[in-house]
Amino acid sequence: MIRRLPQSLINKIAAGEVIERPASVVKELMENAVDAGATRIDVTVQAGGMELIRVADNGSGIPAEELPLAVASHATSKLLDADALFRVATLGFRGEALASIGEVSRLTLRSRTADSPGGSQLEVHGGQVSEVSPCGCPVGTVLEVSNLFFNTPVRRKFLRSGPTELGHVAEAFTRIALPLPQVHFTLRHDERIMFDLSGTQGWLERIEKFFGREVAESLIWVDSGDGPIRLSGYVASPSQSRSNNRMQYLFLNRRFIRDRSLLHALGEAYRGLLMTGRCPIAFLSLDMPPDQVDVNVHPTKLEVRFQDSGRLYSQLLGTLRTKFLSTDLTAKATAPAASDPTGLHDETQATELRQQLVDWAKGEVAGWPGFGGTAGVSRGTGGTSNSSWPVAAASSGAPRRPLELNRLDRSWPAVDAKPGEDEDPFREPAGPTAGSNAPPPGGSFAQTPPVQAMQVHNRYLVAESDDGVMVIDQHALHERILYEQLRQRVEAGAVESQSLLVPEPVDLLPAEAAAALEHRELLAKLGMRVEPFGGGTVLIAAYPAMLSNMNPGEVLRGLLEQLVAGGKLPDRRDLLDELLHTVACKAAIKAGDRLSPEEISALLQQRHLVENTHHCPHGRPTALVFTREELDKQFKRL
Ligand code: ADP
Ligand code: MG
């Protein structure tokens, strides 16, 4: 039986699309304040916005008699007729934000227009609208939202911790305040002022307030026009970059948007200027007549449709390329040490490393396997033993993200370097020997002498081979080993998956969310289980155990990059293979990771697994061999 839905249910459904979390409320309320022409907008949130959100502005205000309309659905002052939908010049136009918010919270609206002697107010609680009553208030509007999602427990349940929600709130705030430097914005959290951005003419000043001096100083101004379309803003010199694209802010007529094609153009412009895996930083503003773009294609208006997106792509790419050609990037790119992820250009660290090498060479040559030393059978214990490898074991105090040997032994149960010390609660108990000093089941260091090698520059391992010297790329080797392991497990349907007690919601672009759900089975084979949640959000219910120390959302996004590009790949098998590469690459130790002697040993012991394939999945070799004959020749012994 087909029935008409009651209005309140319609509103709840609409709310589900637009109001996902406190940050969505902040966004809608701030947009309204901007549309009302406010020059000052104060945002206050409590408990990440889960307890209270208040947005006060000094804009036009709402006449008392229109207050009920403001909170009614499909009521807006921003569209006069149907044509207006195709030349939207305001941030809002759908007329459903306040109605949606009022449906799922307690909302108080106080407002006063300039020509009214006093203010008036109205309350909405779970869709129930109160009478309008007079109140004292300054010209402008104050909106307060509390009890968010009190009547939609599913949504409420999936709210994250206060800090996480606050993070989203701050991002929403940034996206609105960034392109409007002339407006005074403040953001308070639990009575603490997070941002107080007084109005300024300069965009750079505002960018600096948000992202700091180092970024601001690296920025290069760009500007170009193509007919009525103007592109302007700042891009960072290659000395500044990020590992993700979250610092790529693109505004269309002051509205923050995400546009795959334009972000791609941005990446192309930096091709060759950044190391692979690094993303440029950009703050770009597009101004164009509103009738050349459709903003009514996405519920939260995050995506838009351009009339001529190909032309915009060329404009962006061309503008940046021309700019880069005429700018002395090297001057700006003399990298501050901190921006070098390997830390190799840090002079003090480099000196230290050199000193360690010299010390080691002086005293420890005898420790090399094959040099008659005993190190080959002893277990170096991170610097306490004389026979440990100083380069690998030295604790120089340099910050080093902990490199998890358990990442190694989780994927290779046979190599259990630290029996009983496994902190992973999800891992199966290691049997009766766990916790004791008895040798671990399977291969063990006590029985198999560890293979020794020296780590140089935190990225290569140098070891003796049967007929010469081997230089191994630690990342390439580990990646290759993991790839082989993982492929075998996928084929056997035995990938270890870690269930999450509370599924992790991940916000995605619509295309990504669709791809995630479409390829659910494929992802499950890799141990990544996703569930639909609505909108651009999916839930991660379980993810690959070997990636347990990585952010599940980022792992999923990494996989989705392949899936969204999936149309280009010939068949399912190749797609799976591509995903295996991605997982292996993400899970593998990186160039720049300093390894302990145990870790080096564990890595080398697994080498036989990939013995006959000398290339890492990306086609790079995992090891170079210098034969003794070659060396003899070079040293003129032959
Ligand atoms: P929309 O912004 O799409 O029009 P909303 O539900 O967000 O829809 O708001 C409904 C109407 O309420 C707006 O069109 C506007 O007339 C009025 N309004 C909401 N917030 C404010 C505000 N802060 N100042 C002035 N008017 C407002
Ligand atoms: Mg609005």
Side-chain angles (χ1 to χ4, degrees):
M1 184 173 62
I2 301 178
R3 278 178 300 178
R4 265 184 206 286
L5 297 176
Q7 189 60 44
S8 79
L9 190 51
I10 294 176
N11 290 353
K12 271 216 187 73
I13 291 169
E17 272 196 342
V18 184
I19 309 299
E20 261 182 286
R21 56 185 353 142
S24 345
V25 175
V26 171
K27 168 183 185 283
E28 294 296 335
L29 299 187
M30 287 180 76
E31 285 189 351
N32 282 347
V34 169
D35 284 345
T39 56
R40 171 156 189 156
I41 299 172
D42 295 294
V43 183
T44 307
V45 294
Q46 278 170 20
M50 293 183 284
E51 262 169 36
L52 178 83
I53 298 163
R54 181 195 298 120
V55 176
D57 70 60
N58 64 355
S60 64
I62 309 169
E65 65 278 11
E66 286 189 8
L67 285 189
L69 267 183
V71 297
S73 56
H74 308 299
T76 176
S77 56
K78 299 170 194 175
L79 290 185
L80 290 178
D81 51 37
D83 283 352
L85 186 54
F86 302 102
R87 40 185 165 78
V88 173
T90 47
L91 292 175
F93 56 86
R94 291 170 173 249
E96 50 181 21
L98 293 189
S100 299
I101 296 168
E103 194 64 42
V104 295
S105 71
R106 176 188 292 276
L107 176 154
T108 313
L109 168 57
R110 280 188 213 102
S111 197
R112 180 181 151 195
T113 54
D115 54 7
S116 161
S120 38
Q121 70 171 4
L122 153 158
E123 228 183 62
V124 191
H125 191 206
Q128 297 299 313
V129 185
S130 76
E131 294 290 312
V132 177
S133 59
C135 73
C137 70
V139 173
T141 304
V142 183
L143 264 139
E144 259 181 37
V145 174
S146 56
N147 275 3
L148 185 62
F149 301 136
F150 78 98
N151 55 354
T152 48
V154 183
R155 276 282 153 162
R156 178 139 204 125
K157 202 167 97 201
F158 285 107
L159 288 184
R160 317 302 295 167
S161 64
T164 305
E165 292 305 332
L166 182 62
H168 288 284
V169 166
E171 179 62 23
F173 177 86
T174 307
R175 291 175 178 185
I176 290 180
L178 200 51
L180 297 163
Q182 68 287 358
V183 179
H184 186 164
F185 287 94
T186 65
L187 174 60
R188 272 190 188 71
H189 181 246
D190 293 340
E191 306 314 318
R192 189 171 62 88
I193 295 186
M194 290 179 71
F195 292 104
D196 184 351
L197 314 164
S198 39
T200 157
Q201 288 315 306
W203 199 16
L204 196 54
E205 204 180 315
R206 178 127 316 171
I207 294 173
E208 180 173 343
K209 282 262 174 55
F210 275 116
F211 302 101
R213 190 107 174 248
E214 209 177 339
V215 165
E217 280 177 351
S218 76
L219 294 178
I220 303 166
W221 170 253
V222 294
D223 192 2
S224 74
D226 178 10
I229 299 175
R230 178 162 178 234
L231 170 74
S232 61
Y234 295 94
V235 294
S237 88
S239 66
Q240 291 287 317
S241 63
R242 289 291 181 272
S243 63
N244 59 58
N245 66 5
R246 267 173 251 137
M247 263 176 74
Q248 301 179 349
Y249 287 88
L250 186 59
F251 300 96
L252 165 74
N253 297 341
R254 310 285 167 270
R255 181 198 305 282
F256 175 87
I257 58 163
R258 277 271 141 192
D259 187 275
R260 228 171 235 293
S261 145
L262 292 179
L263 292 189
H264 187 267
L266 179 66
E268 280 298 292
Y270 277 82
R271 187 193 276 274
L273 295 174
L274 294 178
M275 282 195 296
T276 43
R278 303 299 293 176
C279 301
I281 295 172
F283 307 94
L284 292 171
S285 180
L286 270 171
D287 292 277
M288 64 173 69
D291 62 0
Q292 294 200 5
V293 55
D294 187 354
V295 290
N296 187 30
V297 293
H298 188 261
T300 62
K301 299 160 273 183
L302 184 63
E303 285 174 44
V304 299
R305 194 176 294 132
F306 294 109
Q307 223 170 55
D308 194 345
S309 68
R311 192 157 168 176
L312 275 179
Y313 184 99
S314 317
Q315 188 183 350
L316 178 56
L317 184 57
T319 307
L320 296 195
R321 282 216 174 130
T322 314
K323 189 72 189 188
F324 288 160
L325 283 176
S326 64
T327 307
D328 182 11
L329 292 174
T330 50
K332 287 207 166 198
T334 40
S339 72
D340 174 17
T342 64
L344 283 176
H345 296 298
D346 181 329
E347 245 337 283
T348 34
Q349 216 187 319
T351 316
E352 212 174 304
L353 197 72
R354 263 195 301 275
Q355 191 54 47
Q356 283 164 13
L357 262 172
V358 172
D359 291 348
W360 166 80
K362 275 187 196 149
E364 302 283 335
V365 174
W368 271 82
F371 282 76
T374 53
V377 288
S378 81
R379 289 178 62 182
T381 47
T384 54
S385 149
N386 274 337
S387 55
S388 66
W389 302 98
V391 177
S395 54
S396 67
R400 161 210 199 266
R401 116 183 102 88
L403 170 63
E404 314 67 19
L405 185 55
N406 60 5
R407 211 198 282 162
L408 297 177
D409 55 47
R410 179 174 300 109
S411 36
W412 309 315
V415 182
D416 199 349
K418 290 180 188 168
E421 278 184 31
D422 199 331
E423 283 156 15
D424 179 7
F426 294 95
R427 196 166 170 245
E428 279 176 39
T433 56
S436 76
N437 285 329
S444 106
F445 285 102
Q447 289 145 15
T448 327
V451 193
Q452 287 284 14
M454 179 179 70
Q455 187 186 31
V456 294
H457 292 303
N458 290 342
R459 59 173 70 195
Y460 299 115
L461 306 178
V462 182
E464 188 191 31
S465 69
D466 290 346
D467 57 350
V469 173
M470 232 170 8
V471 181
I472 295 162
D473 179 324
Q474 63 185 43
H475 169 74
L477 175 59
H478 194 201
E479 180 179 16
R480 181 75 216 185
I481 293 168
L482 291 182
Y483 170 81
E484 293 296 336
Q485 286 265 340
L486 194 60
R487 210 186 48 175
Q488 283 169 17
R489 288 182 187 208
V490 167
E491 276 164 10
V495 178
E496 280 176 65
S497 180
Q498 194 163 300
S499 294
L500 293 169
L501 290 178
V502 180
E504 165 110 1
V506 186
D507 299 328
L508 300 169
L509 296 175
E512 292 171 332
L517 297 174
E518 186 187 335
H519 294 286
R520 269 168 91 177
E521 267 176 54
L522 196 61
L523 290 170
K525 279 194 180 166
L526 295 160
M528 173 75 81
R529 221 170 66 229
V530 297
E531 314 279 356
F533 186 56
T537 307
V538 300
L539 297 176
I540 299 182
Y543 68 107
M546 68 194 290
L547 298 177
S548 65
N549 56 346
M550 300 182 68
N551 175 317
E554 287 197 1
V555 173
L556 179 61
R557 286 203 181 86
L559 292 173
L560 290 176
E561 267 169 36
Q562 316 290 344
L563 289 177
V564 170
K568 294 179 204 138
L569 293 162
D571 65 36
R572 243 179 130 68
R573 209 196 137 75
D574 287 5
L575 195 55
L576 179 64
D577 209 50
E578 202 62 38
L579 296 181
L580 291 177
H581 289 168
T582 307
V583 173
C585 182
K586 280 189 189 298
I589 53 174
K590 305 283 177 290
D593 283 342
R594 187 170 289 194
L595 303 183
S596 71
E598 291 91 342
E599 290 168 328
I600 292 175
S601 246
L603 194 54
L604 294 182
Q605 283 193 342
Q606 299 302 319
R607 212 175 161 258
H608 67 274
L609 287 178
V610 297
E611 206 75 288
N612 44 6
T613 49
H614 283 286
H615 292 275
C616 96
H618 293 319
R620 289 191 291 120
T622 59
L624 302 175
V625 175
F626 301 91
T627 60
R628 221 192 78 186
E629 206 183 358
E630 261 175 290
L631 293 173
D632 286 347
K633 221 186 266 168
Q634 292 293 328
F635 284 113
K636 313 267 184 250
R637 285 177 177 274
L638 286 186

